[in-house]
Amino acid sequence: MKLLDRFFQNNREWADSITSVDPDFFSRLARQQSPAYLWIGCSDSRVPANEIVGMPPGELFVHRNVANLVVQYDFNCLSVIQYAVDVLKVKHIIVCGHYGCGGVKASMSNTKHGLIDNWLHSIKHTWLQHRAELDALPDEATRIDRLCELNVIKQVSAVGHTTVVQDAWDRGQALAVHGWIYGIGDGLLKDLDVTITGREQLDPVYRMND
Ligand code: CO
């Protein structure tokens, strides 16, 4: 018996359920993908991108990493953004964090977790930057959840700071970057209302002119 047999059984049932309603679904998708959205989310198993927004295959281009970070020298994330913007011409980039994020929680502690502590390091900067606000909150869970929001807001700016996104805006390509957060406890998304659609919304320090 095949290891993880259940996965293959589930997969056949899933594919059948789609083709029974729309027989050409997969052959149509196989010809090309033209998603309008790039989703940058956390690797957390409880935040499956397509599922929580009810999107079928073909609608979302997805990049996930621990704590949904956009780091300027992470060529994995940058390559995803570049391909999504320049080739697929997505209209929206959504950075979606989630409350109770283990990555954010780990960065707020002094416990060693290994290699991952290096990846999470930049969250400590966000913590320091907002320390007064966070210290004034009543308990640790509330502080972590607020830092989850602040982390998303910071990553929205980081997407805007990339040369890829600024070049797209220079070309007059319509591109909006959004910051959302997901509640693992209630399954609901919240818009943090930090959408940026042009360079003028970035701090002047980060604006790049020709
Ligand atoms: Co997380």
Side-chain angles (χ1 to χ4, degrees), residues 38-40 61-63 65 69-72 74-90 92-95 155-166 168 171 173 175 177:
L38 164 61
W39 176 280
I40 299 174
F61 199 60
V62 174
H63 177 77
N65 62 45
L69 297 176
V70 177
V71 180
Q72 303 296 328
D74 170 16
F75 287 101
N76 183 353
C77 183
L78 285 185
S79 300
V80 171
I81 294 174
Q82 191 261 323
Y83 188 77
V85 171
D86 292 352
V87 182
L88 297 173
K89 306 237 182 304
V90 298
H92 302 273
I93 299 177
I94 297 150
V95 177
Q155 306 320 312
V156 168
S157 299
V159 172
H161 300 161
T162 61
T163 53
V164 174
V165 169
Q166 295 204 29
R171 292 193 297 267
Q173 194 175 324
L175 183 62
V177 188

Coordinates of all heavy atoms in Angstrom, one line a residue, residues 38-40 61-63 65 69-72 74-90 92-95 155-166 168 171 173 175 177:
L38 N -1.6 38.2 -6.8 CA -0.4 37.5 -6.2 C -0.7 37.6 -4.7 O -1.0 38.6 -4.1 CB 0.9 38.3 -6.5 CG 2.1 37.9 -5.5 CD1 2.4 36.4 -5.7 CD2 3.3 38.7 -5.9
W39 N -0.6 36.4 -4.1 CA -0.9 36.2 -2.6 C 0.5 36.0 -1.9 O 1.2 35.0 -2.3 CB -1.8 35.1 -2.4 CG -2.1 34.7 -1.0 CD1 -1.3 33.9 -0.1 CD2 -3.3 35.0 -0.3 NE1 -2.0 33.8 1.1 CE2 -3.2 34.4 1.0 CE3 -4.5 35.7 -0.6 CZ2 -4.2 34.6 2.0 CZ3 -5.5 35.8 0.4 CH2 -5.3 35.3 1.7
I40 N 0.8 36.8 -1.0 CA 2.0 36.5 -0.2 C 1.6 36.3 1.3 O 1.0 37.2 1.9 CB 3.0 37.7 -0.2 CG1 3.5 38.0 -1.7 CG2 4.2 37.4 0.7 CD1 4.3 39.2 -1.8
F61 N -1.7 33.5 -7.7 CA -0.3 33.2 -7.8 C 0.2 33.3 -6.3 O -0.1 34.3 -5.7 CB 0.4 34.1 -8.7 CG 1.7 33.6 -9.2 CD1 1.8 32.5 -10.0 CD2 2.9 34.3 -8.9 CE1 3.0 32.0 -10.5 CE2 4.1 33.8 -9.4 CZ 4.2 32.7 -10.2
V62 N 0.8 32.3 -5.8 CA 1.0 32.2 -4.4 C 2.5 32.1 -4.0 O 3.2 31.3 -4.6 CB 0.2 31.1 -3.8 CG1 0.6 30.9 -2.3 CG2 -1.3 31.3 -3.9
H63 N 2.9 32.9 -3.0 CA 4.2 32.7 -2.4 C 3.9 32.7 -0.9 O 3.2 33.6 -0.3 CB 5.1 33.9 -2.7 CG 6.4 33.8 -2.0 ND1 7.4 33.0 -2.4 CD2 6.9 34.4 -0.9 CE1 8.5 33.1 -1.6 NE2 8.2 34.0 -0.7
N65 N 5.9 32.0 3.0 CA 7.0 31.7 3.8 C 6.7 32.0 5.3 O 5.6 32.5 5.6 CB 8.3 32.6 3.4 CG 8.0 34.1 3.5 OD1 7.5 34.5 4.6 ND2 8.4 34.8 2.5
L69 N 7.1 37.3 5.1 CA 8.0 38.4 5.1 C 8.5 38.7 3.6 O 8.6 37.7 2.8 CB 9.3 38.0 5.9 CG 9.1 37.8 7.4 CD1 10.4 37.4 8.0 CD2 8.6 39.1 8.0
V70 N 8.6 39.9 3.3 CA 9.2 40.4 2.0 C 10.5 41.0 2.3 O 10.6 42.1 2.8 CB 8.2 41.3 1.3 CG1 8.8 41.8 0.0 CG2 6.9 40.6 1.1
V71 N 11.6 40.3 2.0 CA 12.9 40.7 2.3 C 13.6 41.1 1.0 O 13.5 40.3 0.1 CB 13.7 39.6 3.1 CG1 15.1 40.1 3.4 CG2 13.0 39.2 4.3
Q72 N 14.2 42.3 1.0 CA 14.7 42.8 -0.3 C 15.8 42.0 -1.0 O 16.1 42.1 -2.1 CB 15.3 44.2 -0.1 CG 14.3 45.2 0.5 CD 13.1 45.5 -0.4 OE1 13.2 45.4 -1.6 NE2 11.9 45.7 0.2
D74 N 15.8 38.5 -0.7 CA 15.3 37.1 -0.8 C 14.9 36.9 -2.3 O 13.8 37.3 -2.7 CB 14.1 36.9 0.1 CG 13.4 35.6 -0.1 OD1 14.0 34.7 -0.7 OD2 12.2 35.4 0.4
F75 N 15.8 36.3 -3.0 CA 15.5 36.1 -4.4 C 14.3 35.2 -4.8 O 13.8 35.2 -5.9 CB 16.8 35.7 -5.2 CG 17.8 36.8 -5.3 CD1 18.8 36.9 -4.4 CD2 17.6 37.8 -6.2 CE1 19.7 37.9 -4.4 CE2 18.5 38.9 -6.2 CZ 19.5 38.9 -5.4
N76 N 14.0 34.4 -3.8 CA 12.8 33.5 -4.0 C 11.5 34.4 -4.1 O 10.8 34.4 -5.1 CB 12.7 32.5 -2.8 CG 11.6 31.5 -3.0 OD1 10.8 31.7 -3.9 ND2 11.5 30.5 -2.1
C77 N 11.3 35.2 -3.0 CA 10.1 36.1 -3.0 C 10.2 37.1 -4.1 O 9.2 37.4 -4.8 CB 10.0 36.7 -1.6 SG 8.6 37.8 -1.5
L78 N 11.4 37.7 -4.3 CA 11.5 38.7 -5.4 C 11.2 38.1 -6.8 O 10.6 38.8 -7.6 CB 12.9 39.3 -5.4 CG 13.3 40.3 -4.3 CD1 14.7 40.8 -4.5 CD2 12.3 41.4 -4.2
S79 N 11.7 36.9 -7.0 CA 11.4 36.3 -8.3 C 9.9 36.1 -8.5 O 9.4 36.2 -9.6 CB 12.2 35.0 -8.4 OG 13.5 35.2 -8.3
V80 N 9.2 35.7 -7.5 CA 7.8 35.5 -7.5 C 7.1 36.8 -7.9 O 6.3 36.9 -8.7 CB 7.2 34.9 -6.2 CG1 5.7 34.9 -6.2 CG2 7.8 33.5 -6.0
I81 N 7.5 37.9 -7.2 CA 6.9 39.2 -7.4 C 7.2 39.6 -8.8 O 6.3 40.1 -9.6 CB 7.5 40.2 -6.4 CG1 7.0 39.9 -5.0 CG2 7.0 41.6 -6.8 CD1 7.6 40.8 -3.9
Q82 N 8.5 39.4 -9.3 CA 8.9 39.9 -10.6 C 8.1 39.1 -11.7 O 7.5 39.7 -12.6 CB 10.4 39.7 -10.8 CG 10.9 40.4 -12.1 CD 11.1 39.4 -13.3 OE1 11.4 38.2 -13.0 NE2 10.8 39.8 -14.5
Y83 N 8.0 37.8 -11.6 CA 7.2 37.1 -12.6 C 5.7 37.4 -12.5 O 5.1 37.6 -13.6 CB 7.4 35.6 -12.3 CG 6.8 34.7 -13.4 CD1 7.5 34.5 -14.6 CD2 5.6 34.1 -13.2 CE1 7.0 33.8 -15.6 CE2 5.1 33.3 -14.3 CZ 5.8 33.2 -15.5 OH 5.2 32.4 -16.5
A84 N 5.2 37.6 -11.4 CA 3.8 37.9 -11.2 C 3.5 39.3 -11.9 O 2.5 39.5 -12.5 CB 3.4 37.9 -9.8
V85 N 4.4 40.3 -11.6 CA 4.1 41.6 -12.1 C 4.5 41.8 -13.6 O 3.7 42.3 -14.3 CB 4.9 42.6 -11.2 CG1 4.9 44.1 -11.8 CG2 4.4 42.6 -9.8
D86 N 5.7 41.3 -13.9 CA 6.2 41.6 -15.3 C 5.6 40.6 -16.3 O 5.3 41.0 -17.5 CB 7.7 41.5 -15.4 CG 8.4 42.6 -14.6 OD1 7.7 43.5 -14.2 OD2 9.6 42.5 -14.4
V87 N 5.4 39.4 -16.0 CA 4.9 38.4 -17.0 C 3.4 38.1 -16.8 O 2.7 38.3 -17.8 CB 5.7 37.1 -16.8 CG1 5.3 36.1 -17.9 CG2 7.2 37.4 -17.0
L88 N 3.0 37.8 -15.6 CA 1.5 37.5 -15.5 C 0.7 38.8 -15.4 O -0.5 38.8 -15.6 CB 1.3 36.7 -14.2 CG 2.0 35.3 -14.2 CD1 1.8 34.7 -12.8 CD2 1.4 34.4 -15.2
K89 N 1.3 39.9 -15.1 CA 0.6 41.2 -15.0 C -0.5 41.2 -14.0 O -1.7 41.6 -14.4 CB 0.2 41.7 -16.4 CG 1.3 41.7 -17.5 CD 1.4 43.1 -18.1 CE 2.5 43.2 -19.2 NZ 3.8 42.8 -18.8
V90 N -0.3 40.7 -12.9 CA -1.3 40.7 -11.8 C -1.7 42.2 -11.5 O -0.8 43.1 -11.7 CB -0.8 40.0 -10.5 CG1 -0.6 38.5 -10.8 CG2 0.4 40.7 -9.9
H92 N -3.2 43.0 -8.5 CA -3.2 43.1 -7.0 C -2.2 42.2 -6.4 O -2.1 41.1 -6.8 CB -4.6 42.8 -6.4 CG -5.7 43.6 -7.0 ND1 -6.0 44.9 -6.5 CD2 -6.5 43.4 -8.1 CE1 -7.0 45.4 -7.2 NE2 -7.3 44.5 -8.2
I93 N -1.5 42.8 -5.4 CA -0.6 41.9 -4.6 C -1.2 42.0 -3.2 O -1.4 43.1 -2.6 CB 0.9 42.4 -4.6 CG1 1.4 42.4 -6.0 CG2 1.7 41.6 -3.6 CD1 2.9 42.9 -6.1
I94 N -1.5 40.9 -2.6 CA -2.1 40.8 -1.3 C -1.0 40.2 -0.3 O -0.6 39.1 -0.5 CB -3.3 39.9 -1.3 CG1 -4.4 40.6 -2.2 CG2 -3.9 39.8 0.2 CD1 -5.3 39.5 -2.8
V95 N -0.7 41.0 0.7 CA 0.2 40.4 1.8 C -0.8 40.1 2.9 O -1.5 40.9 3.4 CB 1.2 41.4 2.3 CG1 2.0 40.8 3.5 CG2 2.2 41.9 1.2
Q155 N 5.4 44.8 5.5 CA 5.7 44.0 4.3 C 5.0 44.6 3.1 O 5.5 44.5 2.0 CB 5.2 42.5 4.5 CG 5.8 41.8 5.7 CD 7.2 42.1 6.0 OE1 8.1 42.1 5.1 NE2 7.6 42.4 7.2
V156 N 3.8 45.3 3.3 CA 3.2 46.0 2.2 C 4.1 47.1 1.7 O 4.3 47.2 0.5 CB 1.8 46.6 2.7 CG1 1.3 47.6 1.6 CG2 0.8 45.5 2.9
S157 N 4.7 47.8 2.6 CA 5.7 48.8 2.2 C 6.9 48.2 1.5 O 7.3 48.7 0.5 CB 6.2 49.6 3.4 OG 5.2 50.3 4.1
A158 N 7.3 47.1 2.1 CA 8.5 46.4 1.5 C 8.2 46.0 0.0 O 9.1 46.0 -0.8 CB 8.9 45.2 2.3
V159 N 7.0 45.5 -0.3 CA 6.6 45.2 -1.7 C 6.7 46.4 -2.5 O 7.3 46.4 -3.6 CB 5.2 44.6 -1.7 CG1 4.8 44.4 -3.2 CG2 5.1 43.2 -1.0
G160 N 6.2 47.6 -2.0 CA 6.3 48.8 -2.7 C 7.7 49.3 -2.9 O 8.0 50.0 -3.9
H161 N 8.6 49.0 -2.0 CA 10.0 49.4 -2.1 C 10.8 48.6 -3.2 O 11.9 49.0 -3.6 CB 10.8 49.2 -0.8 CG 10.1 50.0 0.3 ND1 10.4 49.7 1.6 CD2 9.3 51.0 0.3 CE1 9.7 50.6 2.4 NE2 9.0 51.4 1.6
T162 N 10.3 47.5 -3.6 CA 11.0 46.7 -4.6 C 11.2 47.4 -5.9 O 10.3 48.2 -6.3 CB 10.4 45.3 -4.9 OG1 9.1 45.5 -5.5 CG2 10.2 44.5 -3.6
T163 N 12.3 47.2 -6.6 CA 12.5 47.8 -7.9 C 11.4 47.3 -8.9 O 11.0 48.1 -9.8 CB 13.9 47.4 -8.5 OG1 14.0 46.0 -8.4 CG2 15.0 48.1 -7.6
V164 N 11.0 46.1 -8.7 CA 10.0 45.5 -9.6 C 8.7 46.3 -9.6 O 8.2 46.7 -10.6 CB 9.7 44.0 -9.2 CG1 8.6 43.4 -10.0 CG2 10.9 43.2 -9.3
V165 N 8.2 46.6 -8.4 CA 6.9 47.3 -8.3 C 7.1 48.7 -8.7 O 6.2 49.3 -9.4 CB 6.4 47.1 -6.8 CG1 5.2 48.1 -6.6 CG2 5.9 45.7 -6.6
Q166 N 8.2 49.4 -8.3 CA 8.4 50.8 -8.7 C 8.5 50.9 -10.2 O 8.0 51.8 -10.8 CB 9.6 51.4 -8.0 CG 9.3 51.4 -6.5 CD 10.1 52.5 -5.7 OE1 10.5 53.5 -6.3 NE2 10.3 52.3 -4.5
A168 N 7.1 48.9 -12.4 CA 5.7 48.7 -12.9 C 5.0 50.0 -12.9 O 4.3 50.4 -13.8 CB 5.0 47.6 -12.2
R171 N 6.0 52.5 -15.5 CA 5.4 52.1 -16.8 C 3.9 52.5 -16.9 O 3.3 52.3 -18.0 CB 5.6 50.6 -17.1 CG 7.0 50.1 -17.2 CD 6.9 48.7 -17.8 NE 6.3 47.7 -16.9 CZ 6.9 46.9 -16.0 NH1 8.2 47.1 -15.9 NH2 6.3 46.1 -15.3
Q173 N 1.7 50.8 -15.2 CA 1.0 49.6 -14.9 C 0.1 49.7 -13.6 O 0.7 50.1 -12.6 CB 2.0 48.4 -14.8 CG 1.4 47.0 -14.9 CD 2.5 46.0 -14.9 OE1 3.5 46.1 -15.5 NE2 2.2 44.8 -14.3
L175 N -1.3 48.7 -10.4 CA -0.9 47.6 -9.4 C -1.1 48.1 -8.0 O -0.6 49.2 -7.6 CB 0.6 47.3 -9.6 CG 1.3 46.2 -8.8 CD1 0.6 44.9 -9.0 CD2 2.8 46.1 -9.1
V177 N -1.1 47.2 -3.9 CA -0.6 46.3 -2.9 C -1.4 46.4 -1.6 O -1.6 47.5 -1.1 CB 0.9 46.6 -2.5 CG1 1.5 45.5 -1.6 CG2 1.7 46.7 -3.8

